[in-house]
Amino acid sequence: MRPLDSTDPGQFIADFYTSLTRELLGSDEDAALVVDRFHTPDIVQVADGHRIDRQKLIDHTRPVRKNRPTIRMEVHEAVADGDRIAARYTMHTSQRGKDFATVVHFFGRFAPDGRMSEAHMLTRAVTDPAATGGASR
């Protein structure tokens, strides 16, 4: 991963999730190795009130690999301050012939090497993906 301070924050968050998904789905490599390339060992994510640690992230890779979704990030706005980033984006997902869109309000912290160390996310499913607004990345 690229360090946060070396790129636009919107592009950084889009590249982070796109690269993570590509590496998870692009090989049969041990999921723990992929998760560790993108997250620090003490990673904690809180998504809609649910706490997710490293092991839960690894466990989550099984259904992701099984369903093999495609994703597209549409970053509406993002700002960074030091090792922290705040972003509002829409995650467009396609799997098994169905399209989904989720608006995400993301607040996170990244290590100097670009790995995520903490994230707090609030999400909302969108029934009309075209109504999210913003530019694609």
Side-chain angles (χ1 to χ4, degrees):
M1 283 302 310
R2 220 172 9 186
L4 174 58
D5 64 0
S6 69
T7 189
D8 169 74
Q11 192 64 54
F12 177 88
I13 198 71
D15 290 348
F16 180 89
Y17 281 112
T18 302
S19 298
L20 172 60
T21 302
R22 183 177 48 245
E23 289 196 29
L24 272 175
L25 300 180
S27 76
D28 292 328
E29 182 179 20
D30 181 5
L33 295 175
V34 177
V35 167
D36 289 346
R37 252 195 315 280
F38 287 85
H39 302 87
T40 60
D42 59 345
I43 179 66
V44 173
Q45 292 185 10
V46 179
D48 298 325
H50 300 281
R51 187 178 189 280
I52 304 165
D53 61 14
R54 178 183 175 273
Q55 187 57 53
K56 287 180 182 175
L57 278 172
I58 294 166
D59 294 345
H60 180 64
T61 64
R62 282 189 206 95
V64 171
R65 281 182 161 172
K66 179 182 176 190
N67 293 321
R68 308 201 65 76
T70 59
I71 69 161
R72 179 176 61 84
M73 297 281 296
E74 183 180 0
V75 180
H76 308 295
E77 54 193 328
V79 295
D81 183 16
D83 64 349
R84 297 177 186 276
I85 187 170
R88 183 178 60 88
Y89 58 86
T90 302
M91 176 78 72
H92 297 273
T93 309
S94 293
Q95 67 183 36
R96 298 181 180 179
K98 295 182 181 176
D99 295 327
F100 305 94
T102 305
V103 173
V104 180
H105 293 89
F106 174 94
F107 304 90
R109 201 167 44 87
F110 290 83
D113 62 5
R115 292 182 299 157
M116 183 186 295
S117 58
E118 178 183 359
H120 295 267
M121 295 171 275
L122 299 172
T123 68
R124 175 178 56 91
V126 180
T127 55
D128 180 8
T132 59
S136 294
R137 302 223 184 214

